[in-house]
Amino acid sequence: MARTQRRPPARGVEWEFETLVLPKDFSRSVVTRMLVERAEHGGWELDRLRIGNDGKRRVVLRRKIIRERLTLFAG
């Protein structure tokens, strides 16, 4: 299950966050491969990882939101 949200800008940087809940029966190597894949192909980085008492991993990923700026050329 993945959930994406956006937080308000802090000092000029905007971040997009995605929350993943991974079951306890996923091995450490499977989770690592999944997160590496998201980092390499989606531009995500690890923000936080929590392992609950039930063994589920709650992962929060983030990536910068890059906005295009309109530039006007004097001519």
Side-chain angles (χ1 to χ4, degrees), residues 29-44:
S29 62
V30 169
V31 172
T32 301
R33 274 188 269 134
M34 185 187 313
L35 296 177
V36 166
E37 184 75 21
R38 286 183 178 267
E40 289 179 351
H41 298 290
W44 294 98

Side-chain angles (χ1 to χ4, degrees), residues 15-72:
W15 295 97
E16 180 178 10
F17 290 83
E18 183 175 46
T19 303
L20 305 171
V21 179
L22 305 173
K24 67 178 182 178
D25 46 334
F26 280 16
S27 70
R28 189 177 199 176
S29 62
V30 169
V31 172
T32 301
R33 274 188 269 134
M34 185 187 313
L35 296 177
V36 166
E37 184 75 21
R38 286 183 178 267
E40 289 179 351
H41 298 290
W44 294 98
E45 61 185 47
L46 184 64
D47 186 53
R48 89 182 51 116
L49 170 71
R50 293 186 180 180
I51 301 175
N53 292 335
D54 56 357
K56 288 184 183 177
R57 291 179 177 94
R58 287 165 183 82
V59 181
V60 178
L61 303 172
R62 71 178 184 180
R63 67 178 168 187
K64 284 184 184 178
I65 298 173
I66 300 172
R67 303 242 184 242
E68 288 186 36
R69 295 184 184 207
L70 180 62
T71 56
L72 300 174

